[in-house]
């Protein structure tokens, strides 16, 4: 193995090249990204960075010089246009590069509102890239009206920032309730109350009919309930789709993501994948994990396996979200739950998801202890009784010893 090429200079791509070097790979490493800036963290984009509480240079995962110092050929502003799996080459503008192992870490793209309902008007934004947030930031100003489309974590975080910056904020969710795809009703209720307490108007079961514009700029929205509102800007957070185009071009199997095996390898033995763009196996099902933790851990596992470790990657899902003064931490995946135990400790609160007697996941609100213990229990395959965890006076730590 002489050369490893990584496409996508995001969280997964950066983690993969770093791990290759720290694990002693001495060959050529090329990291190619279509954004103009070195790899950076995305979570602050909808939190501290948009709020103006975090400087640009703190977003970067490593200083740009680190890549050269570690003999990593970092190509920025360079989109890979095609992959030829037979020849083991890829094409960027005006150049053909060859690889022995290729890692696809192309992330995902935000869903947008269709142009025919006004999705292409100026003032309609998505939150994925630094460039998206830099473009919207000047519009997030006191006294203006923001419409947030989508009540998932991105939409809720954007709503919190817009409120904190003094905007008049309405959030609409087309499904019957916010967080319908990722959290229980108990968590949705808590988050709704939090936002309404901060003055956000939340409309559930309400979608967009169309946006209206003047001189190419959004000025209004007609909602599915026929309400007609004036808006100054729109932030769209309606989910993402995995970037699989290059993998498909290479003839690699894709099914709602690039299909990877337990080692992170695709259906082509020389092509690997990591991060948001993959479909991976978890508890016997194919899932996608849209989280920093997965991007790092899966990419590091891929690096190790390229170097011959032959280790299975077992995802240990966790996620967080910051909104106002709330730190929400989530351990595990709640998909398939049939019961939620609520542990109400006043300021610290946690929701424990069960399928039968099996603990699947914990949502912890300003409760780092509940989160940490829940995470350790889930990773150890331990399931304390729902009655015990629901008792705020029970000793959670003792559960780890049983
Ligand atoms: P990315 O980081 O998206 O990197 C992929 C890169 O590949 C991009 O730079 C893309 O432009 C590039 N690329 C794509 N195609 C090509 C091509 N053909 N040629 C060259 N380059 C290409 N996760 C959490 O765990 N907690 C959070 O609180 C959280 N908050 C988030 C907030 C926001 C606003 C966003 C957008 C995401 C958040 N996430 C959060 C999710 C997390 O950031 C992603 O799961 C993570 O970035 C995935 O890493 P990745 O490397 O797979 O993809």
């Amino acid at each position: 193995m002489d050369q490893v090429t990584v496409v996508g200079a995001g969280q997964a791509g950066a983690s993969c090249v770093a791990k290759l070097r720290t694990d002693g790979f001495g060959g050529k490493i090329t990291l190619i990204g279509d954004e103009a800036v070195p790899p950076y963290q995305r979570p602050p984009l909808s939190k501290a960075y948009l709020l103006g509480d975090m400087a640009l240079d703190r977003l970067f995962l490593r200083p740009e010089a680190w890549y050269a110092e570690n003999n990593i050929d970092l190509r920025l502003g360079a989109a890979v246009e095609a992959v030829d799996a037979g020849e083991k080459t890829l094409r960027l503008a005006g150049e053909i590069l060859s690889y022995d192992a290729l890692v696809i870490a192309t992330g995902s793209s935000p869903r947008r509102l269709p142009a025919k309902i006004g999705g292409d008007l100026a003032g309609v934004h998505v939150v994925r890239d630094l460039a998206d947030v830099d473009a919207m930031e000047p519009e997030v100003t006191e006294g203006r009206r923001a419409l947030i489309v989508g009540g998932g974590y991105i939409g809720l975080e954007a709503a919190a920032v817009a409120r904190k910056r003094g905007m008049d904020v309405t959030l609409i969710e087309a499904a019957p309730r916010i967080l319908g795809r990722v959290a229980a009703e108990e968590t949705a209720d808590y988050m709704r109350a939090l936002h309404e307490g901060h003055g956000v108007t939340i409309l559930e079961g309400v979608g967009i009919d169309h946006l209206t514009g003047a001189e190419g700029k959004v000025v209004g929205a007609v909602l599915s309930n026929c309400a007609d509102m004036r808006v100054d800007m729109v932030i769209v957070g309606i989910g993402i789709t995995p970037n699989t185009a290059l993998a498909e071009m290479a003839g690699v199997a894709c099914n709602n993501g690039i299909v990877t095996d337990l080692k992170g390898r695709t259906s082509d033995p020389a092509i690997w994948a990591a991060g948001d763009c993959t479909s991976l196996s978890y508890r016997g099902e194919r899932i996608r994990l849209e989280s920093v933790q997965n991007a790092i851990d899966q990419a590091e596992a891929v690096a190790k396996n390229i170097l011959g470790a032959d280790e299975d990657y077992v995802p240990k899902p966790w996620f967080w979200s910051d909104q106002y003064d709330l730190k929400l931490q989530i351990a595990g995946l709640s998909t398939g739950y049939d019961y939620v135990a609520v542990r109400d400790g006043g300021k610290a609160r946690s929701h424990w998801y069960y399928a039968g007697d099996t603990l699947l996941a914990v949502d912890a609100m300003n409760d780092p202890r509940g989160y940490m213990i829940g995470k350790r229990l889930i990773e150890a395959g331990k399931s304390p009784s729902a009655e015990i965890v629901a008792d705020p006076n029970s000793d959670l730590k003792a559960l780890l010893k049983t």
Side-chain angles (χ1 to χ4, degrees):
M1 171 85 50
D2 292 328
Q3 46 184 342
V4 179
T5 301
V6 180
V7 183
Q11 187 78 62
S15 303
C16 183
V17 298
K19 187 70 179 161
L20 283 166
R21 277 292 180 251
T22 52
D23 278 16
F25 179 62
K28 182 169 168 46
I29 300 178
T30 309
L31 175 61
I32 307 165
D34 58 3
E35 293 183 72
V37 288
Y40 58 90
Q41 350 165 27
R42 285 176 206 278
L45 295 183
S46 51
K47 307 178 182 79
Y49 183 73
L50 182 58
L51 196 55
D53 276 357
M54 190 177 191
L56 175 64
D57 60 351
R58 286 194 48 222
L59 281 185
F60 298 124
L61 294 169
R62 294 187 172 79
E64 191 167 352
W66 179 90
Y67 298 90
E69 283 158 17
N70 285 274
N71 199 17
I72 292 164
D73 182 9
L74 176 64
R75 310 284 189 97
L76 296 174
V80 173
E81 293 158 359
V83 176
D84 183 332
E87 295 292 322
K88 290 196 181 173
T89 57
L90 41 84
R91 191 182 75 219
L92 354 166
E95 201 179 351
I96 303 286
L97 297 178
S98 51
Y99 62 84
D100 296 320
L102 172 66
V103 181
I104 302 181
T106 44
S108 51
S109 298
R111 291 202 187 100
R112 291 168 192 268
L113 295 178
K116 64 172 191 260
I117 65 162
D120 60 347
L121 289 166
V124 181
H125 301 275
V126 291
V127 199
R128 180 71 199 177
D129 295 340
L130 184 56
D132 297 328
V133 176
D134 285 344
M136 85 170 66
E137 193 274 339
E139 296 178 35
V140 184
T141 48
E142 191 161 357
R144 301 181 84 233
R145 291 183 185 212
L147 173 65
I148 315 284
V149 182
Y153 286 118
I154 298 281
L156 290 170
E157 288 177 358
V161 171
R163 258 323 275 151
K164 278 181 107 167
R165 290 187 59 166
M167 295 189 84
D168 176 344
V169 181
T170 299
L171 181 148
I172 59 170
E173 167 56 60
R177 67 166 171 86
I178 58 168
L179 299 175
R181 200 172 57 87
V182 289
E185 223 163 295
E186 288 80 352
T187 300
D189 291 347
Y190 182 92
M191 300 305 292
R192 186 186 308 105
L194 176 76
H195 278 270
E196 288 179 345
H198 280 86
V200 175
T201 302
I202 295 190
L203 306 174
E204 294 166 301
V206 175
I208 274 274
D209 186 79
H210 65 275
L211 299 173
T212 52
E215 294 170 7
K217 189 174 171 338
V218 70
V219 292
V222 178
L223 307 183
S224 61
N225 62 3
C226 298
D228 191 343
M229 56 188 290
R230 186 175 74 69
V231 300
D232 296 310
M233 75 174 303
V234 178
I235 301 177
V236 181
I238 53 174
I240 57 175
T241 48
N243 290 332
T244 56
L246 286 181
E248 285 168 33
M249 211 179 282
V252 160
C254 295
N255 181 7
N256 184 29
I258 304 170
V259 176
T260 52
D261 68 11
L262 293 172
K263 317 289 177 211
R265 206 188 278 261
T266 70
S267 57
D268 179 321
I271 303 181
W272 308 71
D276 276 13
C277 62
T278 65
S279 151
L280 47 97
S281 180
Y282 181 70
R283 290 201 213 116
E285 286 186 25
R286 287 254 143 219
I287 58 162
R288 284 194 300 109
L289 282 173
E290 302 160 8
S291 75
V292 164
Q293 160 276 328
N294 177 64
I296 296 171
D297 293 353
Q298 193 184 18
E300 291 190 347
V302 162
K304 284 202 266 180
N305 287 330
I306 287 174
L307 302 180
D310 199 29
E311 280 174 19
D312 286 354
Y313 165 58
V314 182
K316 294 179 181 162
W318 67 268
F319 189 83
W320 76 94
S321 181
D322 300 327
Q323 295 167 45
Y324 312 105
D325 293 330
L326 169 73
K327 177 122 200 129
L328 171 67
Q329 293 167 291
I330 302 167
L333 269 193
S334 57
T335 323
Y337 74 94
D338 50 35
Y339 179 73
V340 176
V342 174
R343 182 180 175 94
D344 185 355
K347 259 188 103 180
R349 184 185 173 94
S350 51
H351 298 161
W352 300 63
Y353 295 73
Y354 286 84
D357 293 333
T358 305
L359 176 65
L360 299 179
V362 179
D363 294 345
M365 277 74 71
N366 290 331
D367 185 5
R369 187 181 169 83
Y371 161 74
M372 191 48 72
I373 292 171
K375 184 168 188 285
R376 285 172 63 188
L377 288 166
I378 293 163
E379 287 173 10
K382 293 184 178 177
S383 295
S385 93
E387 269 173 28
I388 292 180
V389 298
D391 174 0
N393 298 315
S394 65
D395 178 7
L396 282 182
K397 207 164 175 200
L399 299 173
L400 290 168
K401 297 186 194 119
T402 55

